[in-house]
Amino acid sequence: MHMTPQTPRDRLIVALDFPSADLALRHVHELQGQCLWVKVGLELYLAAGSSIITSLRERGLNVFLDLKLHDIPNTVAGAVRSASQYGANLLTIHASGGSAMLAAAAEAAATTPGAPRLVAVTVLTSMDAAQLTGTGVPDDPSTQVLRLARLATAAGIDGLVCSSAETRQLRTALPGDPLLVVPGIRPAGSAEGDQRRIATAATAIADGASMLVVGRPITQAADPAKAVEAILDEIASACQLKV
Ligand code: C5P
């Protein structure tokens, strides 16, 4: 099912975490056609509505719809069907919703024309071991990520969101060639913000990430197009090292 993305541009998703469609589309313009993938998360989706997906698709962009669905199976299946009408390419759901929810989502995607591919969020990259323990999970993040990844792939979900620290483990443990989407990317020396399990773009690619999600290091850069270029260069160098 999974095709490994080929070029550096196929592997970078810019997170459009903006409070309006105008600001998001202005930012896309500023990126000067350098990126192929953008992420619409809760902030932008709730501010701009589903028409933002159409606007981005009309500009030739692939859309990663990061709504992190987490509800009872029937509700999540319905949300997957509703999301299918807008042409988003990828949609996130929380693996911690459990195997029945994951299977219902996978079934809805498989039977709905135009459905996005589903990607299951394992443990948020903003969580460290202490925060995970606070939710009642006594294991370290990598153990919990592997547990949730197995649950999601067994339920027929196409890909996973994890941190760079877990990609090697998942590549070894999981069958096939799952799509591994990695947020928490920070250029060396840049602000970590609320993220905890972070890595540079080069490390994430070298460790087996299929695609990287990068928000603030690009959206808050003085020159966003230049920031994208630097990350694409890093991805390209890491790909060459791997060959
Ligand atoms: O600004 P920053 O690079 O931290 O943005 C990362 C983006 O990836 C955010 O939009 C966040 O919602 C998303 N994300 C994440 N961790 C996950 C899943 C998604 O940081 N596990």
Side-chain angles (χ1 to χ4, degrees):
M1 174 80 191
H2 165 50
M3 245 177 45
T4 304
Q6 295 301 319
T7 71
R9 276 176 202 204
D10 291 321
R11 304 179 73 162
L12 175 64
I13 304 171
V14 178
L16 297 176
D17 292 325
F18 290 102
S20 75
D22 260 13
L23 286 171
L25 294 175
R26 212 178 303 163
H27 192 74
V28 163
H29 184 69
E30 256 187 296
L31 295 178
Q32 302 166 3
Q34 287 217 57
C35 68
L36 300 177
W37 280 88
V38 288
K39 190 185 85 118
V40 174
L42 289 165
E43 180 182 5
L44 179 57
Y45 187 82
L46 291 174
S50 51
S51 66
I52 187 67
I53 303 170
T54 317
S55 303
L56 293 165
R57 295 291 289 137
E58 281 169 1
R59 284 164 174 74
L61 293 161
N62 296 303
V63 173
F64 178 34
L65 184 56
D66 188 21
L67 299 184
K68 296 192 178 68
L69 306 178
H70 191 169
D71 210 313
I72 61 171
N74 186 55
T75 300
V76 167
V80 169
R81 284 192 294 273
S82 290
S84 302
Q85 58 192 301
Y86 304 116
N89 306 79
L90 293 172
L91 172 66
T92 48
I93 69 175
H94 266 293
S96 53
S99 55
M101 187 201 89
L102 293 161
E107 162 77 11
T111 54
T112 309
R117 289 174 64 192
L118 299 180
V119 182
V121 176
T122 54
V123 176
L124 294 170
T125 46
S126 56
M127 295 185 85
D128 54 19
Q131 288 195 54
L132 192 58
T133 305
T135 68
V137 177
D139 300 308
D140 60 24
S142 63
T143 305
Q144 178 67 353
V145 167
L146 181 57
R147 176 184 293 134
L148 292 172
R150 286 195 164 124
L151 202 67
T153 47
I157 301 297
D158 296 325
L160 300 157
V161 183
C162 63
S163 91
S164 178
E166 294 104 32
T167 47
R168 276 180 192 274
Q169 174 196 12
L170 294 186
R171 287 257 171 258
T172 310
L174 298 176
D177 183 23
L179 184 76
L180 299 183
V181 180
V182 173
I185 301 301
R186 291 292 180 267
S190 72
E192 136 178 343
D194 56 353
Q195 297 282 19
R196 290 298 170 265
R197 300 186 344 272
I198 59 173
T200 64
T203 302
I205 292 291
D207 284 349
S210 315
M211 303 178 84
L212 310 181
V213 179
V214 187
R216 288 162 288 184
I218 292 171
T219 55
Q220 294 184 8
D223 184 342
K226 209 164 151 192
V228 167
E229 209 176 300
I231 291 172
L232 289 174
D233 283 349
E234 243 192 89
I235 295 175
S237 316
C239 292
Q240 271 167 9
L241 281 180
K242 281 190 80 182
V243 175

